Coordinates of all heavy atoms in Angstrom, one line a residue:
M1 N -134.9 137.2 32.7 CA -134.9 136.8 34.1 C -136.3 136.1 34.5 O -136.8 136.4 35.6 CB -134.8 138.1 34.9 CG -133.3 138.6 35.0 SD -132.5 138.4 36.6 CE -133.6 139.0 37.8
S2 N -136.7 135.3 33.7 CA -138.0 134.6 34.0 C -137.5 133.1 34.3 O -137.3 132.3 33.5 CB -139.0 134.6 32.9 OG -138.6 134.0 31.8
S3 N -137.5 132.9 35.6 CA -137.2 131.4 36.1 C -138.3 130.6 36.0 O -138.3 129.5 35.6 CB -136.5 131.5 37.4 OG -137.5 131.9 38.4
G4 N -139.5 131.1 36.5 CA -140.7 130.3 36.6 C -140.6 129.2 37.6 O -141.5 128.4 37.7
G5 N -139.5 129.2 38.3 CA -139.3 128.0 39.2 C -139.2 128.6 40.6 O -138.5 128.1 41.5
S6 N -139.9 129.7 40.9 CA -139.9 130.3 42.3 C -140.5 129.3 43.2 O -141.5 128.8 43.1 CB -140.7 131.6 42.3 OG -140.9 132.0 43.6
P7 N -139.7 129.1 44.3 CA -140.2 128.2 45.4 C -141.3 128.8 46.2 O -142.0 128.1 46.9 CB -138.9 127.9 46.2 CG -138.1 129.1 46.0 CD -138.4 129.7 44.7
H8 N -141.5 130.2 46.1 CA -142.4 130.8 47.0 C -143.8 130.6 46.6 O -144.1 130.4 45.4 CB -142.0 132.3 47.1 CG -140.7 132.6 47.7 ND1 -140.4 132.3 49.0 CD2 -139.5 132.9 47.2 CE1 -139.1 132.6 49.3 NE2 -138.5 132.9 48.2
L9 N -144.7 130.8 47.5 CA -146.1 130.6 47.3 C -146.7 131.8 46.6 O -146.5 133.0 47.1 CB -146.8 130.3 48.6 CG -146.3 129.1 49.4 CD1 -146.9 128.9 50.7 CD2 -146.4 127.8 48.6
S10 N -147.6 131.6 45.7 CA -148.3 132.8 45.1 C -149.4 133.2 46.0 O -149.8 132.5 47.0 CB -149.0 132.3 43.8 OG -150.0 131.4 44.0
T11 N -149.8 134.5 45.8 CA -150.9 135.0 46.6 C -152.2 134.1 46.5 O -152.8 133.9 47.5 CB -151.3 136.4 46.2 OG1 -150.1 137.2 46.1 CG2 -152.3 137.1 47.1
Y12 N -152.4 133.6 45.3 CA -153.5 132.7 45.0 C -153.3 131.5 45.9 O -154.3 131.0 46.6 CB -153.5 132.4 43.6 CG -154.6 131.3 43.2 CD1 -155.9 131.7 43.1 CD2 -154.2 130.0 43.0 CE1 -156.9 130.8 42.8 CE2 -155.2 129.0 42.6 CZ -156.5 129.4 42.6 OH -157.5 128.5 42.3
A13 N -152.1 130.9 46.0 CA -151.9 129.6 46.7 C -152.1 130.0 48.2 O -152.7 129.1 48.9 CB -150.5 129.1 46.5
L14 N -151.7 131.2 48.7 CA -151.9 131.5 50.1 C -153.4 131.6 50.4 O -153.9 131.2 51.5 CB -151.2 132.8 50.4 CG -149.6 132.8 50.4 CD1 -149.0 134.1 50.5 CD2 -149.2 131.9 51.5
D15 N -154.1 132.2 49.4 CA -155.6 132.4 49.7 C -156.2 131.0 49.8 O -157.1 130.8 50.6 CB -156.2 133.2 48.5 CG -155.9 134.7 48.6 OD1 -155.5 135.1 49.7 OD2 -156.1 135.4 47.6
M16 N -155.9 130.1 48.8 CA -156.5 128.8 48.8 C -156.2 128.0 50.0 O -157.0 127.3 50.5 CB -156.0 128.1 47.5 CG -156.5 128.6 46.2 SD -158.3 128.4 46.0 CE -158.9 130.1 46.2
L17 N -154.9 128.2 50.5 CA -154.5 127.5 51.7 C -155.3 128.0 52.9 O -155.8 127.2 53.7 CB -153.0 127.8 51.9 CG -152.4 127.1 53.2 CD1 -152.3 125.6 52.9 CD2 -151.0 127.6 53.5
E18 N -155.5 129.3 52.9 CA -156.3 129.9 54.0 C -157.7 129.4 54.0 O -158.4 129.2 55.0 CB -156.3 131.5 53.8 CG -157.0 132.2 54.9 CD -156.1 132.4 56.1 OE1 -155.0 131.8 56.2 OE2 -156.5 133.2 57.0
L19 N -158.3 129.2 52.8 CA -159.6 128.8 52.6 C -159.7 127.2 52.8 O -160.8 126.6 52.7 CB -160.2 129.2 51.3 CG -160.4 130.7 51.1 CD1 -160.6 131.0 49.6 CD2 -161.5 131.2 51.9
G20 N -158.6 126.5 52.9 CA -158.6 125.1 52.9 C -158.9 124.4 51.6 O -159.5 123.3 51.5
K21 N -158.7 125.2 50.5 CA -159.1 124.6 49.1 C -157.9 124.1 48.3 O -158.1 123.7 47.1 CB -159.7 125.8 48.3 CG -160.9 126.3 49.0 CD -162.2 125.9 48.4 CE -163.4 126.8 48.9 NZ -164.5 126.0 49.2
L22 N -156.8 124.0 48.9 CA -155.6 123.4 48.1 C -155.8 122.0 48.1 O -156.1 121.3 49.1 CB -154.3 123.9 48.8 CG -153.6 125.2 48.4 CD1 -152.3 125.3 49.1 CD2 -153.5 125.3 46.9
P23 N -155.4 121.3 46.9 CA -155.4 119.8 46.9 C -154.3 119.4 48.0 O -153.4 120.0 48.2 CB -154.9 119.5 45.5 CG -155.1 120.8 44.7 CD -155.1 121.9 45.7
A24 N -154.6 118.2 48.5 CA -153.8 117.7 49.6 C -152.3 117.7 49.3 O -151.5 118.2 50.2 CB -154.2 116.2 49.9
G25 N -151.9 117.3 48.2 CA -150.4 117.3 47.8 C -149.9 118.8 47.9 O -148.8 119.0 48.4
E26 N -150.7 119.7 47.3 CA -150.2 121.1 47.2 C -150.2 121.7 48.6 O -149.3 122.4 48.9 CB -151.3 121.9 46.4 CG -151.1 121.7 44.9 CD -149.9 122.3 44.3 OE1 -149.8 123.6 44.4 OE2 -149.0 121.7 43.9
E27 N -151.1 121.3 49.4 CA -151.2 121.9 50.8 C -149.9 121.4 51.6 O -149.3 122.2 52.3 CB -152.5 121.4 51.5 CG -152.6 122.1 52.9 CD -153.9 121.7 53.6 OE1 -154.9 121.4 52.9 OE2 -153.9 121.8 54.8
Q28 N -149.6 120.1 51.4 CA -148.4 119.6 52.1 C -147.2 120.3 51.7 O -146.4 120.7 52.5 CB -148.3 118.1 51.7 CG -147.8 117.3 52.9 CD -147.9 115.7 52.5 OE1 -147.9 115.4 51.3 NE2 -148.0 114.9 53.5
R29 N -147.1 120.6 50.4 CA -145.9 121.2 49.8 C -145.9 122.7 50.3 O -144.9 123.3 50.7 CB -146.0 121.3 48.3 CG -144.6 121.5 47.6 CD -144.9 121.5 46.1 NE -145.7 122.6 45.6 CZ -145.3 123.8 45.3 NH1 -144.0 124.1 45.4 NH2 -146.1 124.7 44.9
A30 N -147.0 123.4 50.4 CA -147.1 124.7 50.8 C -146.8 124.8 52.3 O -146.0 125.7 52.7 CB -148.6 125.3 50.6
R31 N -147.3 123.9 53.1 CA -147.0 124.0 54.5 C -145.5 123.7 54.8 O -144.9 124.3 55.7 CB -147.9 123.0 55.3 CG -149.4 123.4 55.3 CD -150.1 122.8 56.5 NE -151.6 123.2 56.3 CZ -152.1 124.3 56.7 NH1 -151.3 125.3 57.2 NH2 -153.4 124.6 56.6
A32 N -145.0 122.8 54.0 CA -143.5 122.5 54.2 C -142.7 123.8 53.8 O -141.8 124.1 54.5 CB -143.1 121.3 53.3
H33 N -143.2 124.5 52.8 CA -142.5 125.7 52.4 C -142.6 126.8 53.5 O -141.7 127.4 53.9 CB -143.0 126.2 51.1 CG -142.3 127.5 50.7 ND1 -141.0 127.5 50.2 CD2 -142.7 128.8 50.8 CE1 -140.7 128.8 50.0 NE2 -141.7 129.6 50.3
L34 N -143.9 126.9 54.1 CA -144.1 127.9 55.1 C -143.3 127.6 56.4 O -142.9 128.6 57.0 CB -145.6 128.0 55.4 CG -146.6 128.6 54.5 CD1 -148.0 128.3 54.8 CD2 -146.3 130.1 54.4
A35 N -143.1 126.4 56.7 CA -142.3 126.0 57.8 C -140.9 126.5 57.8 O -140.2 126.7 58.8 CB -142.3 124.5 58.1
Q36 N -140.4 126.8 56.5 CA -139.0 127.2 56.5 C -138.9 128.5 55.8 O -137.7 129.0 55.4 CB -138.2 126.1 55.7 CG -138.9 125.8 54.4 CD -137.9 125.2 53.4 OE1 -136.8 124.8 53.7 NE2 -138.3 125.1 52.1
C37 N -139.9 129.3 55.5 CA -139.9 130.6 54.8 C -140.6 131.6 55.6 O -141.8 131.7 55.5 CB -140.4 130.4 53.4 SG -140.3 132.0 52.5
P38 N -139.9 132.4 56.4 CA -140.6 133.5 57.2 C -141.3 134.5 56.3 O -142.3 135.0 56.7 CB -139.4 134.1 57.9 CG -138.3 133.2 57.8 CD -138.5 132.5 56.5
G39 N -140.8 134.7 55.0 CA -141.4 135.6 54.1 C -142.8 135.2 53.8 O -143.7 136.1 53.8
C40 N -143.0 134.0 53.4 CA -144.3 133.5 53.0 C -145.2 133.5 54.2 O -146.4 133.7 54.1 CB -144.2 132.1 52.2 SG -143.6 132.4 50.5
T41 N -144.6 133.1 55.3 CA -145.5 133.0 56.6 C -146.0 134.4 56.9 O -147.2 134.6 57.2 CB -144.6 132.5 57.7 OG1 -144.1 131.3 57.4 CG2 -145.5 132.4 59.0
R42 N -145.2 135.4 56.7 CA -145.6 136.8 57.0 C -146.7 137.2 56.0 O -147.7 137.9 56.3 CB -144.4 137.8 56.8 CG -144.7 139.1 57.5 CD -143.5 140.1 57.4 NE -143.3 140.4 56.0 CZ -142.1 140.4 55.4 NH1 -141.0 140.1 56.1 NH2 -142.0 140.7 54.1
R43 N -146.5 136.8 54.7 CA -147.5 137.2 53.7 C -148.8 136.5 54.0 O -149.9 137.1 53.8 CB -147.0 136.8 52.3 CG -146.1 137.8 51.7 CD -145.4 137.2 50.4 NE -146.3 136.9 49.4 CZ -146.3 135.9 48.6 NH1 -145.3 135.0 48.7 NH2 -147.2 135.7 47.7
L44 N -148.8 135.2 54.5 CA -150.0 134.5 54.9 C -150.7 135.3 56.0 O -151.9 135.5 55.9 CB -149.7 133.1 55.3 CG -150.8 132.3 55.7 CD1 -151.7 132.0 54.5 CD2 -150.4 130.9 56.3
N45 N -149.9 135.7 57.0 CA -150.5 136.5 58.1 C -151.1 137.8 57.7 O -152.1 138.2 58.2 CB -149.4 136.7 59.2 CG -149.1 135.4 59.9 OD1 -149.8 134.4 59.9 ND2 -147.9 135.3 60.5
E46 N -150.4 138.5 56.8 CA -150.8 139.8 56.3 C -152.1 139.6 55.5 O -153.1 140.4 55.7 CB -149.8 140.4 55.4 CG -148.7 141.2 56.2 CD -147.6 141.6 55.3 OE1 -147.7 141.4 54.1 OE2 -146.6 142.1 55.9
A47 N -152.2 138.5 54.8 CA -153.5 138.3 54.0 C -154.6 138.1 55.0 O -155.7 138.6 54.7 CB -153.3 137.1 53.1
H48 N -154.3 137.4 56.0 CA -155.3 137.1 57.1 C -155.8 138.4 57.7 O -157.0 138.6 57.8 CB -154.7 136.2 58.1 CG -155.8 135.5 59.0 ND1 -156.5 134.4 58.5 CD2 -156.2 135.8 60.2 CE1 -157.2 134.1 59.5 NE2 -157.1 134.8 60.6
V49 N -154.8 139.2 58.1 CA -155.2 140.5 58.8 C -155.9 141.4 57.8 O -157.0 142.0 58.2 CB -153.9 141.2 59.2 CG1 -154.2 142.7 59.6 CG2 -153.3 140.5 60.4
S50 N -155.6 141.5 56.5 CA -156.2 142.4 55.6 C -157.7 141.9 55.4 O -158.6 142.7 55.2 CB -155.5 142.6 54.4 OG -155.4 141.4 53.7
A51 N -157.8 140.6 55.4 CA -159.2 140.1 55.2 C -160.1 140.5 56.4 O -161.2 140.9 56.2 CB -159.2 138.6 55.1
E52 N -159.5 140.5 57.5 CA -160.3 140.9 58.8 C -160.6 142.4 58.7 O -161.7 142.9 59.1 CB -159.4 140.6 60.0 CG -159.8 139.2 60.6 CD -158.9 138.9 61.8 OE1 -158.5 139.8 62.4 OE2 -158.8 137.7 62.0
L53 N -159.6 143.2 58.4 CA -159.8 144.7 58.3 C -160.8 145.0 57.2 O -161.7 145.8 57.4 CB -158.5 145.4 57.9 CG -157.4 145.4 59.0 CD1 -156.1 146.1 58.5 CD2 -158.0 146.2 60.2
F54 N -160.8 144.3 56.1 CA -161.8 144.5 55.0 C -163.2 144.2 55.6 O -164.1 145.0 55.4 CB -161.5 143.5 53.9 CG -162.4 143.6 52.8 CD1 -162.5 144.7 51.9 CD2 -163.4 142.6 52.7 CE1 -163.5 144.7 50.9 CE2 -164.4 142.6 51.6 CZ -164.3 143.7 50.8
M55 N -163.3 143.1 56.3 CA -164.6 142.8 56.9 C -165.1 143.9 57.8 O -166.3 144.3 57.8 CB -164.6 141.4 57.6 CG -164.5 140.2 56.6 SD -165.8 140.2 55.5 CE -167.2 139.7 56.5
K56 N -164.2 144.3 58.7 CA -164.6 145.4 59.6 C -165.0 146.6 58.9 O -165.9 147.3 59.3 CB -163.4 145.7 60.6 CG -163.3 144.7 61.7 CD -162.1 145.0 62.6 CE -161.8 143.9 63.5 NZ -160.5 144.0 64.1
G57 N -164.2 147.0 57.9 CA -164.6 148.2 57.1 C -165.9 148.1 56.4 O -166.7 149.0 56.5
V58 N -166.2 147.0 55.9 CA -167.5 146.8 55.2 C -168.6 146.8 56.2 O -169.6 147.4 56.0 CB -167.5 145.4 54.4 CG1 -168.9 145.1 54.0 CG2 -166.6 145.4 53.3
Q59 N -168.4 146.2 57.4 CA -169.4 146.2 58.4 C -169.7 147.7 58.8 O -170.9 148.0 59.0 CB -169.0 145.4 59.6 CG -169.4 144.0 59.5 CD -168.9 143.2 60.7 OE1 -168.1 143.6 61.5 NE2 -169.5 142.0 60.9
K60 N -168.6 148.5 59.0 CA -168.8 149.8 59.5 C -169.6 150.6 58.5 O -170.5 151.4 58.8 CB -167.4 150.4 59.6 CG -167.3 151.6 60.7 CD -165.9 152.0 60.8 CE -165.9 153.4 61.4 NZ -164.5 153.9 61.4
R61 N -169.2 150.5 57.2 CA -169.9 151.3 56.2 C -171.4 150.8 56.1 O -172.3 151.7 56.0 CB -169.3 151.0 54.8 CG -168.1 151.8 54.4 CD -167.9 151.9 53.0 NE -167.7 150.6 52.3 CZ -166.6 150.0 52.2 NH1 -165.5 150.6 52.7 NH2 -166.5 148.9 51.6
T62 N -171.6 149.6 56.2 CA -173.0 149.0 56.2 C -173.8 149.6 57.4 O -175.0 150.1 57.2 CB -173.0 147.5 56.2 OG1 -172.1 147.0 55.3 CG2 -174.4 147.0 55.9
L63 N -173.2 149.6 58.5 CA -173.9 150.2 59.6 C -174.3 151.7 59.5 O -175.3 152.1 59.8 CB -173.1 150.0 60.9 CG -173.2 148.6 61.6 CD1 -172.1 148.5 62.7 CD2 -174.6 148.3 62.1
E64 N -173.3 152.4 59.0 CA -173.5 153.8 58.8 C -174.6 154.1 57.8 O -175.4 155.0 58.0 CB -172.2 154.5 58.3 CG -171.3 155.0 59.4 CD -169.9 155.3 58.9 OE1 -169.8 155.6 57.7 OE2 -169.0 155.3 59.8
Q65 N -174.7 153.3 56.8 CA -175.8 153.4 55.8 C -177.1 153.1 56.5 O -178.1 153.8 56.2 CB -175.5 152.5 54.6 CG -174.6 153.2 53.6 CD -174.6 152.3 52.3 OE1 -175.2 151.3 52.2 NE2 -173.8 152.8 51.4
L66 N -177.2 152.1 57.3 CA -178.4 151.8 58.0 C -178.9 152.9 58.9 O -180.0 153.3 58.9 CB -178.2 150.5 58.8 CG -178.3 149.2 58.0 CD1 -177.9 148.0 58.9 CD2 -179.7 149.0 57.4
R67 N -177.8 153.5 59.6 CA -178.2 154.6 60.5 C -178.8 155.8 59.7 O -179.8 156.4 60.2 CB -177.0 155.0 61.3 CG -176.7 154.1 62.5 CD -175.6 154.7 63.3 NE -175.1 153.6 64.2 CZ -173.8 153.4 64.4 NH1 -172.9 154.2 63.8 NH2 -173.4 152.4 65.1
Q68 N -178.1 156.1 58.6 CA -178.6 157.2 57.8 C -180.0 157.0 57.3 O -180.8 157.9 57.3 CB -177.6 157.4 56.7 CG -176.4 158.3 57.0 CD -175.5 158.4 55.9 OE1 -175.7 158.0 54.8 NE2 -174.3 159.0 56.2
R69 N -180.3 155.8 56.9 CA -181.6 155.5 56.4 C -182.7 155.6 57.6 O -183.8 156.0 57.3 CB -181.7 153.9 55.9 CG -181.5 153.9 54.5 CD -181.7 152.5 54.0 NE -180.7 152.2 52.9 CZ -180.6 151.0 52.4 NH1 -181.4 150.0 52.7 NH2 -179.7 150.8 51.4
M70 N -182.3 155.2 58.8 CA -183.2 155.3 59.9 C -183.5 156.8 60.2 O -184.6 157.1 60.7 CB -182.6 154.6 61.1 CG -182.8 153.1 60.9 SD -181.8 152.2 62.2 CE -183.0 152.3 63.5
R71 N -182.5 157.7 59.9 CA -182.7 159.1 60.2 C -183.7 159.8 59.2 O -184.3 160.8 59.5 CB -181.4 159.9 60.2 CG -180.7 159.7 61.5 CD -179.5 160.6 61.6 NE -178.4 160.0 62.5 CZ -177.2 159.9 62.1 NH1 -176.8 160.3 61.0 NH2 -176.4 159.4 63.0
Q72 N -183.7 159.2 58.0 CA -184.5 159.9 57.0 C -186.0 159.7 57.1 O -186.4 158.8 57.7 CB -184.0 159.3 55.6 CG -182.8 159.9 55.1 CD -182.2 159.2 53.9 OE1 -182.8 158.2 53.4 NE2 -181.1 159.5 53.4
Ligands
LIG101 ZN1 -141.5 131.6 50.5

């Protein structure tokens, strides 16, 4: 069951698209696919949200460490 011809975008492709690092032709193809695929659009949005949550989590941890250091 290995088709290798999945029309869907890989997580890597979604990341590169988000970063604006896809070659022009690939980006055009990816955007054309996103326009007609709610599944990949949702994955793109989820990747975006999780990146934001990750940043918030890291910031929170960093702040807590800074506070602990100031108390010592
Ligand atoms: Zn898709």
Side-chain angles (χ1 to χ4, degrees):
M1 282 254 309
S2 67
S3 66
S6 169
H8 296 288
L9 304 174
S10 66
T11 306
Y12 176 77
L14 290 173
D15 283 346
M16 290 295 109
L17 183 68
E18 185 81 350
L19 294 168
K21 301 254 191 223
L22 272 186
E26 285 287 300
E27 185 178 334
Q28 218 170 22
R29 200 178 64 88
R31 291 204 185 278
H33 179 78
L34 283 169
Q36 52 159 11
C37 181
C40 284
T41 303
R42 198 182 63 228
R43 280 169 61 219
L44 181 67
N45 291 336
E46 277 171 3
H48 197 78
V49 167
S50 62
E52 269 178 24
L53 286 177
F54 175 76
M55 287 303 289
K56 277 181 193 162
V58 169
Q59 270 181 345
K60 205 175 161 190
R61 276 205 302 275
T62 311
L63 277 175
E64 273 167 17
Q65 276 190 356
L66 276 175
R67 276 189 202 136
Q68 277 177 5
R69 261 187 220 178
M70 283 170 82
R71 279 190 205 129
Q72 277 168 3

